[in-house]
Amino acid sequence: MTATSAQPLLQVHDLCVRFGAKEVVRDVSFEIAPGEKLALVGESGSGKTITALSLLRLAGDALVQGQALFEGRDLLALTERELRGVRGGDIAMVFQEPMTALNPLMTVGRQISEVLELKQALTQAQSWQAAIELIASTGIPEPARRATAFPHQLSGGQRQRAMIAMALASRPKLLLADEPTTALDVTLRGQILDLLSDLQRQTGMAVLLITHDLNLVHRFADRVAVMEQGVLVEQGPVADIFRAPQHAYTRRLIASQPKRDVVEGAPDAAAKPLLRAQHLRVGYPTPLPGVRGWFKKGEFIAVHGADLCLLPGRTLGVVGESGSGKSTLAQALLGLLPYQGSVEVVGSAWQAPSARNTPANQRLRRQIQVVFQDPFSSLSPRLTVEEIAGEGLRVHEPALPLPERRRRVEAALAEVGLTDAQFPGLLARYPHEFSGGQRQRLAIARALIVQPRVLVLDEPTSALDVTIQQQVLALLQRLQKDKGLGYLLITHDVEVIRAMAHDVLVMKDGEVLESGSVGQVLDAPRHPYTQRLVAAATALPVR
């Protein structure tokens, strides 16, 4: 643990935050010492982010009460002019999604140098050189060239590093890091955590990490504070909280890890594959520089000759970082992209995949359905639950009488745990009236209503909290046992693969580097990339 001073850097006493008549944070008190790493943990809606934003009075029209003493000064009593000197100066913030937090019209170097000019009164030339040095300190290669790049020209990990460089430009004493790794792959998460730890040791700043990922807390923090529905229910050293949690909510969070509950054993040798691909190759045309580009196009190969086989009642996990080709592979298997090689769904091949609405393809599409990563963006906000869940029936069984269609919709919803008794007026409700986990259940019901044989699960739990993730995985496992479904599970979460998959493909840069049973690949990985992937999901660096 980092050595700390006897005098706290930040003391929060009885913090209350209210929006109109609704109190979202109630009587929250905690301290952060200089150089300390405190994790604020809880599910979505627990009040973590609002608590942090309220310290700098960034919570919009909220009414904030209580005390937040930073080096003896009450942040909540400062004038707006005084507070502007603290924001981005003594206290800096790293946001969850850098693509929306960074200005898309300015280069990252200019955005960092702007902070240096404002906070440290450097000249334009001095601030530009200092910005390059800050970018280099975060481990981004070719910092001088990357400083001239716009946010969209950087990878997700590089954008997050640029955000950290911008936050460190003013040499803050306290860094507020709001879910800084949620949108990143498992290897990048480890890299960002290590980077924050290294920078924290070098600068001596304190860090308030806001997260719902308990693995991150265990790997990074000195102390942890747990929030539930706006109330701080427990806090203490990380080792003590994880070893002997006192509050029931903390125990539930710690216990909410993916659990394996699938049919084990060797597959049926006589079973016919539900999904098979051989020498699958997907390429995209790219422009060529100079005169050559007038006459022909280049090609970017997104998937190189992939082979796979999925049997009934089995789950094939496809794991890899962003850009590895996982989602492109799924789209080709779904018949949504042109490809080379062969793909068979329940023994039949797609007929001209780019011609999506041929009768043959429509019949085949009923056999393979998809559940997307973010249920809120994949469900139409203008359709009711009945219209969303019954959409497949309108396409594949248009002559079905309305009473029978409604009966089938109700049965599909009940199968995923959504009933009218639990949600009065369920069929007439809209997606925004449900939580993230309930919306994902609705998305699963929509896929299941046409009785498919294969479900493509594209990061089905990455947008969910740990407790909701566990519930959705348990639901999927039960449905597989009951219906003999085959799952193609696409994810970058190794723990979800361990819980769900029978077999695994490891992809990087469009190539399948390693494949085999989940035990073979994850417990005894052969390829160096797989070894790094597994190590990043399990290693606990020194705090």
Side-chain angles (χ1 to χ4, degrees):
M1 178 172 171
T2 308
T4 60
S5 166
Q7 179 63 36
L9 178 69
L10 175 70
Q11 295 173 286
V12 178
H13 299 297
D14 302 322
L15 181 70
C16 295
V17 183
R18 183 186 299 275
F19 289 92
K22 184 175 179 60
E23 192 173 43
V24 295
V25 174
R26 184 168 69 256
D27 299 330
V28 166
S29 300
F30 61 88
E31 295 181 350
I32 303 178
E36 185 179 35
K37 295 176 285 187
L38 173 67
L40 194 57
V41 178
E43 297 175 281
S44 297
S46 62
K48 310 184 300 294
T49 298
I50 287 296
T51 296
L53 292 174
S54 298
L55 300 178
L56 296 174
R57 301 221 298 272
L58 294 174
D61 297 326
L63 173 64
V64 183
Q65 297 174 311
Q67 265 192 335
L69 300 176
F70 182 77
E71 295 186 320
R73 290 198 302 169
D74 187 0
L75 297 173
L76 305 184
L78 297 180
T79 66
E80 182 62 26
R81 183 183 181 86
E82 291 171 325
L83 201 54
R84 278 201 297 269
V86 177
R87 294 181 189 136
D90 289 335
I91 303 178
M93 192 158 189
V94 175
F95 295 94
Q96 177 174 353
E97 179 44 73
M99 195 62 185
T100 56
L102 293 170
N103 188 332
L105 302 179
M106 293 173 65
T107 65
V108 293
R110 180 60 191 138
Q111 294 183 61
I112 297 169
S113 65
E114 187 177 56
V115 177
L116 291 161
E117 290 174 34
L118 290 171
K119 298 296 182 181
Q120 296 191 28
L122 300 181
T123 67
Q124 194 168 18
Q126 289 172 330
S127 65
W128 181 258
Q129 186 58 40
I132 293 174
E133 292 171 2
L134 277 167
I135 291 172
S137 73
T138 64
I140 296 179
E142 302 179 271
R145 185 171 71 86
R146 294 299 185 184
T148 64
F150 291 90
H152 73 273
Q153 295 174 307
L154 301 179
S155 69
Q158 289 171 339
R159 284 194 293 268
Q160 195 61 283
R161 288 169 185 266
M163 276 283 296
I164 292 171
M166 189 185 307
L168 296 178
S170 59
R171 299 174 186 168
K173 297 174 182 176
L174 174 62
L175 181 67
L176 308 179
D178 185 9
E179 301 275 12
T181 63
T182 296
L184 304 178
D185 298 319
V186 62
T187 50
L188 290 177
R189 289 183 190 184
Q191 293 171 18
I192 294 297
L193 281 184
D194 292 342
L195 171 64
L196 284 175
S197 292
D198 290 343
L199 294 172
Q200 184 266 339
R201 282 191 291 268
Q202 293 168 19
T203 63
M205 67 181 175
V207 179
L208 176 62
L209 174 68
I210 300 162
T211 184
H212 64 256
D213 190 329
L214 295 177
N215 286 329
L216 262 61
V217 173
H218 200 263
R219 295 173 62 170
F220 180 79
D222 301 317
R223 290 192 306 116
V224 58
V226 183
M227 288 192 74
E228 180 189 23
Q229 296 180 357
V231 177
L232 203 59
V233 297
E234 188 169 1
Q235 58 180 310
V238 166
D240 294 348
I241 296 293
F242 274 78
R243 183 177 62 250
Q246 301 300 307
H247 196 275
Y249 177 71
T250 310
R251 291 195 292 270
R252 194 163 71 248
L253 276 182
I254 293 173
S256 295
Q257 301 301 312
K259 292 182 172 60
R260 186 171 179 83
D261 183 21
V262 299
V263 177
E264 304 286 5
D268 183 0
K272 294 183 179 179
L274 297 178
L275 182 64
R276 182 196 293 273
Q278 293 180 302
H279 311 302
L280 180 63
R281 181 181 183 276
V282 181
Y284 296 101
T286 58
L288 291 174
V291 177
R292 287 189 306 159
W294 298 358
F295 302 101
K296 67 175 184 176
K297 296 286 187 182
E299 187 180 33
F300 169 72
I301 307 302
V303 176
H304 300 258
D307 296 327
L308 60 88
C309 181
L310 176 63
L311 296 174
R314 307 277 291 185
T315 298
L316 174 61
V318 183
V319 64
E321 299 172 349
S322 296
S324 61
K326 306 186 304 294
S327 294
T328 301
L329 172 67
Q331 291 181 60
L333 295 173
L334 286 162
L336 300 177
L337 287 177
Y339 58 81
Q340 294 174 315
S342 68
V343 174
E344 291 185 352
V345 180
V346 197
S348 299
W350 295 107
Q351 295 184 0
S354 56
R356 299 176 187 174
N357 293 322
T358 64
N361 279 356
Q362 185 163 311
R363 286 193 297 272
L364 200 56
R365 203 168 300 288
R366 182 171 186 166
Q367 302 294 329
I368 181 168
Q369 293 286 303
V370 61
V371 177
F372 296 99
Q373 176 175 353
D374 184 356
F376 196 66
S377 60
S378 67
L379 302 176
S380 172
R382 298 184 177 184
L383 298 182
T384 64
V385 167
E386 182 175 12
E387 291 169 326
I388 290 170
E391 189 174 21
L393 293 178
R394 290 196 301 275
V395 173
H396 295 286
E397 298 184 42
L400 195 67
L402 184 60
E404 176 60 17
R405 183 188 300 169
R406 174 166 291 183
R407 187 195 67 77
R408 296 261 293 271
V409 166
E410 290 173 338
L413 292 170
E415 204 164 32
V416 299
L418 299 176
T419 64
D420 201 80
Q422 186 182 7
F423 302 97
L426 171 65
L427 297 185
R429 292 194 179 203
Y430 290 87
H432 72 271
E433 299 178 72
F434 297 89
S435 69
Q438 290 160 356
R439 286 195 290 266
Q440 196 62 293
R441 289 172 182 268
L442 175 56
I444 294 170
R446 176 179 64 177
L448 289 177
I449 199 163
V450 294
Q451 300 175 334
R453 303 288 304 281
V454 179
L455 281 188
V456 175
L457 306 170
D458 188 2
E459 301 275 12
T461 60
S462 65
L464 306 177
D465 294 319
V466 286
T467 52
I468 306 302
Q469 179 189 73
Q470 185 188 48
Q471 295 170 18
V472 171
L473 291 179
L475 169 65
L476 289 168
Q477 289 167 343
R478 176 178 61 80
L479 291 170
Q480 185 176 59
K481 289 179 181 178
D482 293 346
K483 298 176 177 293
L485 294 167
Y487 291 155
L488 183 75
L489 174 63
I490 298 166
T491 184
H492 62 253
D493 192 326
V494 173
E495 293 309 308
V496 171
I497 291 286
R498 285 190 186 277
M500 289 285 295
H502 297 87
D503 304 288
V504 186
L505 295 181
V506 180
M507 292 191 71
K508 180 172 171 50
D509 298 331
E511 294 189 47
V512 176
L513 301 182
E514 192 166 351
S515 63
S517 71
V518 67
Q520 292 171 340
V521 174
L522 298 187
D523 295 338
R526 298 187 305 275
H527 196 279
Y529 174 74
T530 313
Q531 293 167 1
R532 289 199 305 273
L533 206 63
V534 173
T538 56
L540 297 178
V542 178
R543 289 193 291 273

